[in-house]
Amino acid sequence: MKTTHFRLAAAALGAAWLVAACGSSGGPQYYSLADSAAPARAPMSAGGAPAYIELAPIAMPERFARPQLVVRKKDAPDSPAVDILEQHRWSSSFEDELRDSLGSGIASRLGAVDVTKSGRQRGQPATRIAVQLEQFDAIEGKRVDASFTWTVRRTDEGSATGCRLSLSEPVGGGFDALAQGAQRLTSRLADAIAASVPAPAGQPTAKCAA
């Protein structure tokens, strides 16, 4: 009887240790592209009325449209092989994370309202922005490279402006530094897109970044 009790107690202790070990191993690390230090500017519309932007869902290759960080293999950065990091993730899918960050960043830079989050009054013109991610290469301890194209068009005008931009951001070691590099790169993209948004009538025409 004593032997049976001892075995049961040992089994219970072992199970408790296993649960504790699993709990202490920790879950995935989550990252955000949001830039809390994005500069705010005066409203782009005249007379104090709010201006509106409408950012379409970000188009991107399917391999990037996931919550996990996708990075080039550190020991072979020039190889097409990548690692999908289950323990290092964006706070939402990458396309949603990028859209939220760009929408907030562009709106704050223009002093505008992002209608994809708040809506707008009927008949009020808006600036429609469509962004496509063409390439995104993250190499731990080295850099983050990305290429984007986008179009900008006001709903009360027929013409559209098309732009293209390639960016590179150096990073330090570790995945935290990699995520921070991607955040800085996204902030630079928001700067470029905001600069390409057409100004109200009577003001200088915006242009694509060089």
Side-chain angles (χ1 to χ4, degrees):
M1 181 67 70
K2 291 183 178 180
T3 301
T4 300
H5 286 168
F6 175 79
R7 288 176 178 173
L8 289 173
L13 182 61
W17 178 87
L18 182 60
V19 171
C22 292
S24 62
S25 63
Q29 176 70 45
Y30 291 95
Y31 304 95
S32 173
L33 288 175
D35 183 6
S36 59
R41 298 181 184 173
M44 56 186 278
S45 60
Y52 296 95
I53 64 167
E54 183 178 334
L55 181 62
I58 307 297
M60 65 176 59
E62 186 176 351
R63 65 184 179 277
F64 299 125
R66 61 180 72 240
Q68 299 95 332
L69 268 67
V70 179
V71 302
R72 291 284 182 186
K73 289 185 176 295
K74 187 177 181 180
D75 55 350
D78 297 326
S79 167
V82 297
D83 286 325
I84 298 174
L85 306 180
E86 293 292 343
Q87 294 300 310
H88 297 274
R89 299 176 172 232
W90 302 109
S91 60
S92 59
S93 62
F94 186 54
E95 68 268 36
D96 289 343
E97 188 72 25
L98 185 57
R99 183 188 186 189
D100 287 347
S101 179
L102 283 177
S104 298
I106 296 167
S108 67
R109 285 160 172 77
L110 296 173
V113 176
D114 182 0
V115 302
T116 58
K117 298 179 180 178
S118 60
R120 62 186 169 101
Q121 297 178 355
R122 183 186 297 272
Q124 186 72 27
T127 299
R128 289 178 176 164
I129 304 169
V131 180
Q132 179 170 350
L133 169 66
E134 296 187 330
Q135 186 59 39
F136 186 89
D137 288 328
I139 306 173
E140 184 189 356
K142 292 191 174 182
R143 65 186 184 274
V144 179
D145 298 330
S147 296
F148 301 89
T149 60
W150 69 91
T151 59
V152 177
R153 183 177 69 85
R154 284 179 59 86
T155 57
D156 56 349
E157 298 177 2
S159 59
T161 299
C163 301
R164 179 186 298 272
L165 182 65
S166 294
L167 297 169
S168 184
E169 190 69 32
V171 300
F175 297 116
D176 286 4
L178 204 62
Q180 290 166 2
Q183 184 188 73
R184 293 193 300 273
L185 188 146
T186 303
S187 180
R188 291 170 60 190
L189 177 62
D191 283 337
I193 295 176
S196 71
V197 171
Q203 297 187 19
T205 303
K207 298 180 179 180
C208 297

